[in-house]
Amino acid sequence: MRLTWHTTELELAEPLRISRSVTARRDAVWVTIEHGGLTGWGEVVSSDFLGLPTARILRHLTTARAAVEHLPDPQTAWDEHMADSPAGLPKLPAGVLAGLEAALLDLVGKRAGRPAHQLLGTHTAPTAPTTRTIGITAPVAAASQAARLAMSGFTALKVKAGSPDPAEDFARVAAVRDGAPEASLLLDPNGAWTERQALDLLPRFAELGVTAVEQPIAPGSPDALARVAQESPVPVIADEDAVSYEDAVALAGLVHGVNVKLAKCGGVRAALRIHDALRDSGTDLMLGCLTASSLGMAPAVHIADKARWVDLDGHLLLADDPWTGIGGADGAVRAPDRAGLGVRRAHMAVVR
């Protein structure tokens, strides 16, 4: 097998402001694994928050190249070698491991003539409504965006919160509710509140129609998050507090949901292990994402049927998605029935 990669830049249609940062663009590293005349593709996106700048991604791929190319064939690599960065491969950051796993899954599916979801145990291609994110912005702009999204078919919207003045967040959520009165609203402060603030604010957001909240308090205090979940009038979903399999298992039964992102946990099979571990615990799965192209989003779409909440809109935030195949513009993502991940290049993006 042959491992190669190229780097490109993904630019957002408009900067996305959340409580801790503003994102206007990020790098994507496209990973390819070739064998027998076929090529599997995966994507690793840079993330300062996850400690994964582009240079570190490239260093880890360089370190992993010899071990990956020494694996005997794609199917054996998929069956025996690629899960959780095992013996024979260097220890890899979760985002890099997820990108390599995606490329291998794509390649194995193409060799077998089967779509990824079938290799992962689901016969019918998953289709799921996805939320669409509205960043921290003025109420008038938020209402206009919400109305456009509702007209396009979105039935769930995620509203970013965590402004220094909570009144700004209340105004934004109320504006979104006015713009899309039938939509389900998920609130995401990205850990901006204290425990006391969360307990005080969440009942007021529930009155505005919020149906769930994601990581209301700063990560690092799972006991406090559990206390908020116990008192909250809406379901509480852990995100920044649920990075790994161990984090998710520790929170099982203490919060209403955990947001699993492949770049955090290490790929689709790690996500499925979390899903299995949460079964019957009272804690449901949310599938989330970083801003990425359709290539980067595709593995999660192939397991979208496992989640109670689906937040796979990263490709919809881009000014120009260089890949296509998973839908989403009408409010629902769909796993392709084509072999492998099933995505295709929309155009020749500039790579370096």
Side-chain angles (χ1 to χ4, degrees):
M1 297 195 296
R2 180 170 178 260
L3 171 65
T4 58
W5 55 85
H6 304 281
T7 304
T8 190
E9 186 177 77
L10 302 175
E11 184 174 355
L12 276 68
E14 57 184 54
L16 177 65
R17 181 180 296 275
I18 65 175
S19 60
R20 63 171 180 258
S21 63
V22 179
T23 301
R25 61 188 56 83
R26 67 178 357 128
D27 282 345
V29 180
W30 291 342
V31 178
T32 61
I33 300 178
E34 300 173 63
H35 183 83
L38 294 173
T39 300
W41 291 80
E43 181 175 89
V44 188
V45 293
S46 62
S47 170
D48 291 337
F49 183 75
L50 294 179
L52 203 58
T54 306
R56 185 171 180 234
I57 295 171
L58 300 180
R59 285 197 302 272
H60 279 285
L61 288 173
T62 300
T63 301
R65 172 181 264 159
V68 171
E69 293 186 344
H70 184 69
L71 296 172
D73 61 78
Q75 190 63 55
T76 302
W78 175 257
D79 290 341
E80 300 178 9
H81 292 276
M82 285 297 291
D84 292 331
S85 208
L89 287 177
K91 183 65 177 177
L92 299 172
V96 177
L97 181 60
L100 284 171
E101 183 200 57
L104 188 60
L105 176 61
D106 190 36
L107 179 57
V108 171
K110 288 173 177 175
R111 284 168 54 85
R114 299 174 64 195
H117 56 269
Q118 291 186 6
L119 298 178
L120 297 168
T122 300
H123 178 73
T124 303
T127 297
T130 180
T131 63
R132 178 68 157 74
T133 301
I134 296 176
I136 294 178
T137 189
V140 172
S144 176
Q145 187 177 2
R148 291 196 305 270
L149 292 170
M151 289 182 63
S152 297
F154 284 87
T155 58
L157 301 174
K158 180 160 86 168
V159 186
K160 291 292 186 178
S163 301
D165 183 355
E168 296 180 12
D169 293 334
F170 289 131
R172 184 180 316 106
V173 171
V176 170
R177 166 58 64 224
D178 289 342
E182 302 301 320
S184 174
L185 299 186
L186 174 67
L187 190 70
D188 186 7
N190 287 106
W193 299 334
T194 65
E195 181 180 352
R196 184 69 262 162
Q197 284 177 311
L199 293 173
D200 289 343
L201 295 174
L202 284 174
R204 298 176 64 186
F205 280 110
E207 291 175 358
L208 290 174
V210 166
T211 59
V213 63
E214 198 176 333
Q215 195 67 43
I217 67 172
S221 301
D223 291 343
L225 186 66
R227 289 194 295 270
V228 173
Q230 187 174 20
E231 299 295 329
S232 174
V234 297
V236 171
I237 305 165
D239 181 1
E240 287 87 346
D241 265 326
V243 175
S244 65
Y245 173 89
E246 291 76 16
D247 293 337
V249 171
L251 288 166
L254 301 178
V255 295
H256 303 92
V258 293
N259 185 346
V260 172
K261 298 174 182 173
L262 305 191
K264 291 193 307 181
C265 71
V268 286
R269 288 186 294 186
L272 291 174
R273 286 194 294 275
I274 292 172
H275 170 265
D276 291 344
L278 296 179
R279 186 177 288 117
D280 300 325
S281 71
T283 298
D284 293 315
L285 189 72
M286 175 179 182
L287 274 175
C289 65
L290 304 181
T291 305
S293 76
S294 288
L295 170 63
M297 305 297 300
V301 175
H302 280 279
I303 59 170
D305 58 312
K306 308 298 184 185
R308 174 179 173 184
W309 299 277
V310 175
D311 180 32
L312 298 177
D313 68 340
H315 60 306
L316 302 176
L317 304 180
L318 299 180
D320 184 19
D321 186 355
W323 293 80
T324 186
I326 58 171
D330 62 351
V333 289
R334 300 168 181 83
D337 255 331
R338 294 183 293 273
L341 295 178
V343 293
R344 296 170 175 167
R345 291 283 287 272
H347 60 77
M348 299 301 292
V350 176
V351 296
R352 60 183 190 271

